[in-house]
Amino acid sequence: MSEFLPFSRPTIDEATIASVVETLRSGWITSGPKVQEFEKQLSEHFGGRPVRTFNSGTCTMEIALRIAGIGHGDEVITTPISWVATANVILEVGATPVFADVDPVTRNIDLDKVEAAITPRTKAIIPVYLAGKPVDMDHLYKIAARHKLRVVEDAAQAIGSTWQGKPIGSFGDFVSFSFQANKNITTSEGGCLVLNNAEEAALAEKYRLQGVTRSGYDGIEVDVLGGKFNMTDIAAAIGLGQFAQLNVITAQRRKLARHYFATLGKDFEAQTGAQLPPADFENTNWHLFQIVLPERITRADFMARMKDKSIGIGYHYAPIHLFKLYRALGFKEGMFPIAERVGRQIVSLPMFAAMNESDVERTCVAMCEVLKN
Ligand SMILES: *Cc1c(COP(=O)(O)O)cnc(C)c1O
């Protein structure tokens, strides 16, 4: 029996570990110089736009909605196929989540359905770039401009992804990234928000630290209700080490994705009834390599049989509108049929930068055995 291959695993190099140790010994372990340096480097990557770091990706989206003044009575349109955080933040600020069904090929929110879901109360769109694949960004921002909507991009999975040669985050409205442990680069837990201007950045700083502003030498003032969302220097030390590897990590993931396609061959879909992801090597950072299983095998059965072959399979994601919390708001089966089918049958194959091509081959052989018998 070969060694267990997980679906994801972070790679932290020795230089990063040394930097964390140095931070621990420095006497400054909460937000400090490492956070400032990390924000500076991120801002350079995002074309000089203001960037602030936080202790999760989730809170960055909640804070973006607060900065935009979105709350009770406002509607925010998002996708049912995401981590539940994406919709929870809409509820957190007191607004109303509205879902639009997904595109069966990209599994991202269908922008025509977004436009159809807009009402006079719609204030924002939260698109998700599943597996790191962006939506059609030109189309997204045309809709936003036409209906005067804010956009909070849930780019949690999309660091290193691009659109027409520009990094995701280097243009657009609010752009949110996660550095949770499974993401392409990690701070163990953490996130960052790309903002539009200095005023928004100042508000983001307030919301991340109890609403506190420092006003001159005579003390502090509090004028908005903030929370406790700051990133520590320990996390930022990990982030700096990871960020230095971003291009290497993205290139390796793209290489592995190409190898999946090459190994499975062009007849894989016809022979198994499974559906591969779009073969996008230009924009996607390949955060995940996801296939949609044929209906004749259940996801649970597939995952168990792959586990028997020492291969870990991930599940991203159960449709959000079918969770109890959302059913209680009136959502039910049949409302978003494509999301429901995709959400039932989607699986994530092993994909992480420390994997090699033989891991891909092993996964493909195991998967073909399971799907063809
Ligand atoms: C990881 C993730 C989040 C949440 O990020 P955290 O850092 O775990 O809070 C939100 N949306 C998507 C699509 C994600 O993948």
Side-chain angles (χ1 to χ4, degrees):
M1 187 68 120
S2 37
E3 201 191 321
F4 187 76
L5 177 67
F7 91 86
S8 176
R9 184 199 292 148
T11 14
I12 311 287
D13 60 20
E14 288 304 319
T16 304
I17 293 168
S19 168
V20 169
V21 172
E22 178 223 303
T23 304
L24 285 168
R25 292 205 169 108
S26 74
W28 196 286
I29 58 173
T30 184
S31 311
K34 296 276 188 210
V35 163
Q36 276 181 12
E37 178 60 24
F38 191 30
E39 289 179 346
K40 182 169 152 263
Q41 291 190 16
L42 287 165
S43 175
E44 276 161 24
H45 175 74
F46 298 123
R49 300 183 72 198
V51 179
R52 294 297 179 271
T53 55
F54 299 85
N55 59 15
S56 76
T58 305
C59 74
T60 67
M61 293 192 280
E62 182 187 325
I63 289 170
L65 292 172
R66 290 195 195 286
I67 293 172
I70 291 165
H72 289 279
D74 299 331
E75 292 175 0
V76 179
I77 302 174
T78 193
T79 170
I81 298 291
S82 182
W83 178 228
V84 66
T86 311
N88 283 354
V89 296
I90 302 169
L91 295 175
E92 283 286 355
V93 302
T96 304
V98 172
F99 294 104
D101 209 348
V102 299
D103 176 301
V105 175
T106 65
R107 303 130 188 191
N108 278 331
I109 198 165
D110 181 331
L111 293 171
D112 291 326
K113 289 179 182 157
V114 168
E115 198 154 26
I118 292 170
T119 75
R121 303 200 319 169
T122 307
K123 290 286 155 50
I125 311 169
I126 309 185
V128 173
Y129 310 147
L130 192 67
K133 181 173 177 51
V135 297
D136 179 333
M137 303 300 285
D138 298 334
H139 190 182
L140 170 69
Y141 278 100
K142 251 183 220 141
I143 294 172
R146 187 151 56 223
H147 300 274
K148 298 194 169 49
L149 304 178
R150 298 304 300 262
V151 178
V152 179
E153 299 182 31
D154 182 349
Q157 305 186 353
I159 190 116
S161 295
T162 56
W163 179 254
Q164 290 166 355
K166 296 176 298 210
I168 291 298
S170 67
F171 62 96
D173 196 351
F174 296 108
V175 191
S176 157
F177 294 89
S178 167
F179 303 128
Q180 185 267 340
N182 281 340
K183 299 302 190 312
N184 286 24
I185 67 166
T186 184
T187 58
S188 80
E189 295 287 355
C192 76
L193 181 64
V194 186
L195 303 123
N196 296 290
N197 52 51
E199 292 72 45
E200 284 181 2
L203 263 176
E205 286 178 11
K206 284 203 245 182
Y207 281 119
R208 88 176 157 187
L209 244 178
Q210 314 293 9
V212 168
T213 38
R214 299 196 181 267
S215 48
Y217 62 81
D218 59 356
I220 62 166
E221 186 54 273
V222 178
D223 59 0
V224 299
L225 178 59
K228 184 71 161 74
F229 300 122
N230 56 307
M231 178 178 280
T232 70
D233 263 26
I234 302 168
I238 305 173
L240 283 163
Q242 289 271 289
F243 189 58
Q245 297 296 313
L246 177 62
N247 291 340
V248 175
I249 287 170
T250 307
Q252 175 66 3
R253 285 174 172 269
R254 285 186 176 147
K255 187 170 132 202
L256 293 167
R258 278 185 194 279
H259 201 57
Y260 266 118
F261 281 99
T263 308
L264 292 171
K266 62 177 175 16
D267 297 329
F268 172 76
E269 290 183 320
Q271 283 170 356
T272 62
Q275 189 200 349
L276 291 168
D280 173 356
F281 299 103
E282 206 179 318
N283 294 314
T284 304
N285 65 2
W286 292 95
H287 172 61
L288 300 169
F289 193 98
Q290 297 184 291
I291 67 163
V292 177
L293 298 169
E295 294 285 342
R296 66 191 147 72
I297 185 166
T298 66
R299 180 172 31 80
D301 192 22
F302 178 81
M303 290 173 82
R305 287 164 71 182
M306 291 297 280
K307 196 171 173 207
D308 285 345
K309 296 173 184 292
S310 292
I311 292 169
I313 299 294
Y315 176 33
H316 311 91
Y317 291 99
I320 297 171
H321 68 286
L322 298 181
F323 286 130
K324 274 187 186 162
L325 179 70
Y326 289 85
R327 285 181 189 265
L329 300 173
F331 295 105
K332 49 179 181 280
E333 244 127 14
M335 285 181 157
F336 309 103
I338 302 169
E340 288 164 25
R341 179 179 62 79
V342 168
R344 191 166 56 242
Q345 294 301 87
I346 199 165
V347 290
S348 303
L349 306 184
M351 173 57 91
F352 53 93
M355 249 172 83
N356 57 40
E357 297 197 333
S358 70
D359 293 325
V360 169
E361 288 155 22
R362 206 180 118 196
T363 302
C364 293
V365 168
M367 182 166 71
C368 287
E369 276 171 18
V370 169
L371 289 179
K372 286 172 189 171
N373 302 301

